[in-house]
Amino acid sequence: MRSTLFGRTMMTTSSHASKRMSSNGVWYSVAKYSKRTSVLMVAMMFFLSFVTILIRVVFHGRGTSSSAVYDLRRMSSSSSSSSSSSSADDDDDENEYDSLRSFSSSSCNDDEDDDGEIVVEKSWIFETNQKRLGYTHMATIHPIKNGKVLLAAWQGAHRVEGTDDQSLFVAKSVDGGKTFGRAKVVPGRTFGVRWAPTFFSEDVVVEENSDRNNGLMRKRKKRTYLFFAESERCWHCESQECEDIVRKRKAGIEDEHVSFYWDESRSGIVSKAKKAASVGPWWRPGGNIKRILIHVEDDVDDDNRKYSNDDDDDDEWIFEKNASDIKEEMILEENEGSIPKVIGNPPLKTKNAILLPFWREHPRADAKCQPRKSGDYASVMRSTDNGSTFHETNAKIEHSKNKMKDGKPDWLIEGSIVGPLRDGRLAQFFRTSRGAVYVSHSSDNGETWDAPRATPLQNPNSKVSALLLPNGVIVVCHNAHAFMKHPRIGVTRGKLALSTSADDGRTWKEAVLFIEDSLEPGKHVHYPTIVLDKCVLRVSYSVSGEGVKLATVKNWVNLHSSAHHVDEQRVVF
């Protein structure tokens, strides 16, 4: 349009000059030359516009092309100058963005017969057994080594959530998630129940004795933690027998200690806590945020090791050999009168910090604790010393107006952080009761967050999990349907899907891939955790009454580009 308009202007000027100077041959030649020049300029403008459009198409398409090398160094000076951080911080953010985005998809295409089609493979992490471990929920998955060794964790109980026998369980896979070994109880519980496990690994340098030169040798190792919430103050009793259980536990004289509620055998987990499940206290979600160290032997780093899910010594592989050596670390304490804290998704490691999202949740039913009268909100714990210590930030992420309706809390919970985006910001996605996934952004590496806004992605008040892929595409795993509740059957959750955005969340393609496409009345297929394991995506999730599952998504580089049948959604912000 600009070229055409410019061309018309030149043509008009030339025409007037020609009429005014027609009596002079020289000036007539000049006018004639001006006409030719204007035609050439118009043609040149069209050509440059075409080349510009072609370049944009080619370089924009690189973000989703299966054969491209991703090198998205496209941060403009205008976006850098508009950032709230200093220019030095902008440079750090840009370098961090570049280092995270540099990826060659050809390294994942070792199979010559692989045609690039997206493949989803599913397996059971643990199948419930109503006579033993009938309730399983909040599954999380964590890659350890080689794309083969995986750890999975979940919360479980004999029957339902929150009973006194609820504990955390861990299982290991050594064949890339095709099968998992026997479930094991996370040891060390002493009082309340545990909730919402999630893993985090960091590389550390340790000094070890060396026979070489009779000195010390510095060696890089991977240290893996299991984070979780543990109830301490918020419980409810309905009988004197229940009150006696709590009283004796506080005094350390109870008849059966909670650490012996579960027995591990070749046939699987066996509940020894049926009495606790039936007459013990009912615990409300959240409490203290803690972590324990997962002990991983050195031979896990051996690529040539012949792994087996039935190793007799895998107890030592997962936890310290002696129970007395297992030490809980307090990350965030639930003080007297404070609101219980809960976590739901793994921490995110950025260039300068480790960020662990959490939220505060008042008990939704009767409880002994009496939290102060203040609102629930989401926040972030931050570590700047490589995970040695964490501090609670001043972030208070909440809706500007509470719109609680039909008894549902108007909350922002189970946050999932991704980033940095192209402009250096971080994004945190939330479950809400407003029918949509919400998002909030941070421009100061997680210390503060802006007001949350709705995305076009549907959310039936169920957990979401997000991930920023090396090609710059954001993936959100969520239940892609509206809230559904039948008066007799109850809540339905299904249609577990992956939705993508290639422009930092401005526009979305919803449900480009279904992990589970079913939508059965009263059934829950929900609570995903999505992680990147080199060339595949791992998604763990819960299936009500059946167990916890793992989906492995191959050829993830084609997720956004292959979804041509999905309409682009409206601009969010």
Side-chain angles (χ1 to χ4, degrees), residues 30-46:
V30 171
K32 186 175 182 180
Y33 176 77
S34 179
K35 287 182 179 181
R36 292 177 179 175
T37 303
S38 64
V39 172
L40 289 174
M41 291 185 68
V42 171
M44 184 176 294
M45 292 294 291
F46 273 115

Side-chain angles (χ1 to χ4, degrees), residues 214-467:
N214 294 322
L216 295 176
M217 179 180 63
R218 294 172 64 86
K219 186 176 181 181
R220 183 174 294 276
K221 282 191 171 185
K222 178 175 288 188
R223 182 176 293 166
T224 301
Y225 289 99
L226 181 69
F227 288 79
F228 55 91
E230 185 174 79
S231 296
E232 182 177 342
R233 302 179 186 277
C234 289
W235 75 84
H236 174 67
C237 281
E238 296 181 348
S239 68
Q240 185 58 47
E241 187 176 7
C242 172
E243 297 283 359
D244 291 341
I245 291 176
V246 176
R247 178 180 54 79
K248 289 181 179 180
R249 186 175 302 170
K250 285 183 175 181
I253 56 173
E254 64 177 323
D255 300 330
E256 184 179 30
H257 196 268
V258 292
S259 60
F260 300 105
Y261 274 2
W262 296 93
D263 184 31
E264 301 164 4
S265 67
R266 279 288 175 182
S267 59
I269 291 291
V270 178
S271 173
K272 297 172 62 179
K274 296 179 180 179
K275 180 178 179 180
S278 59
V279 301
W282 285 71
W283 297 88
R284 307 313 180 199
N288 302 312
I289 306 299
K290 297 182 176 182
R291 71 178 179 185
I292 60 173
L293 181 66
I294 302 290
H295 184 65
V296 180
E297 296 289 353
D298 292 341
D299 55 7
V300 175
D301 296 329
D302 182 3
D303 291 345
N304 298 318
R305 181 189 174 201
K306 300 297 183 182
Y307 298 105
S308 170
N309 277 336
D310 293 323
D311 285 349
D312 291 331
D313 62 345
D314 54 1
D315 280 329
E316 299 175 22
W317 189 91
I318 294 180
F319 300 109
E320 296 288 353
K321 188 173 183 179
N322 299 316
S324 59
D325 295 332
I326 299 173
K327 297 179 180 179
E328 289 184 337
E329 292 184 64
M330 182 71 71
I331 303 299
L332 183 60
E333 188 172 4
E334 177 192 6
N335 298 317
E336 183 71 34
S338 63
I339 305 169
K341 291 90 174 173
V342 201
I343 58 176
N345 276 300
L348 174 72
K349 184 175 178 62
T350 66
K351 186 176 182 179
N352 300 314
I354 299 173
L355 307 174
L356 177 61
F358 76 99
W359 74 97
R360 300 171 180 267
E361 181 178 335
H362 274 86
R364 304 297 169 187
D366 293 339
K368 285 287 184 180
C369 62
Q370 295 296 328
R372 64 175 67 99
K373 298 296 183 181
S374 59
D376 295 347
Y377 60 85
S379 190
V380 172
M381 285 176 280
R382 195 166 180 262
S383 172
T384 56
D385 54 10
N386 205 30
S388 296
T389 60
F390 284 80
H391 74 271
E392 182 179 353
T393 65
N394 294 323
K396 192 174 181 180
I397 313 170
E398 56 186 342
H399 294 302
S400 57
K401 294 183 179 180
N402 193 304
K403 297 181 179 179
M404 186 170 179
K405 185 179 180 181
D406 298 331
K408 298 193 297 291
D410 191 22
W411 54 20
L412 290 155
I413 65 173
E414 294 161 354
S416 183
I417 306 176
V418 303
L421 307 179
R422 290 171 177 82
D423 59 3
R425 295 183 304 167
L426 303 175
Q428 185 170 182
F429 296 88
F430 294 97
R431 162 189 174 177
T432 75
S433 55
R434 296 188 174 190
V437 177
Y438 270 60
V439 64
S440 175
H441 294 88
S442 173
S443 298
D444 54 9
N445 206 18
E447 195 68 35
T448 61
W449 297 79
D450 64 12
R453 284 168 279 186
T455 74
L457 305 181
Q458 299 178 91
N459 180 236
N461 197 12
S462 183
K463 180 178 181 285
V464 304
S465 185
L467 188 67

Side-chain angles (χ1 to χ4, degrees), residues 73 75-77 79-81 83-99 351-352 420-424 443:
R73 297 176 174 89
M75 295 182 68
S76 64
S77 58
S79 64
S80 297
S81 62
S83 175
S84 61
S85 58
S86 65
S87 60
D89 292 336
D90 289 338
D91 292 339
D92 291 340
D93 290 339
E94 182 171 355
N95 293 334
E96 185 178 2
Y97 177 84
D98 293 341
S99 65
K351 186 176 182 179
N352 300 314
L421 307 179
R422 290 171 177 82
D423 59 3
S443 298

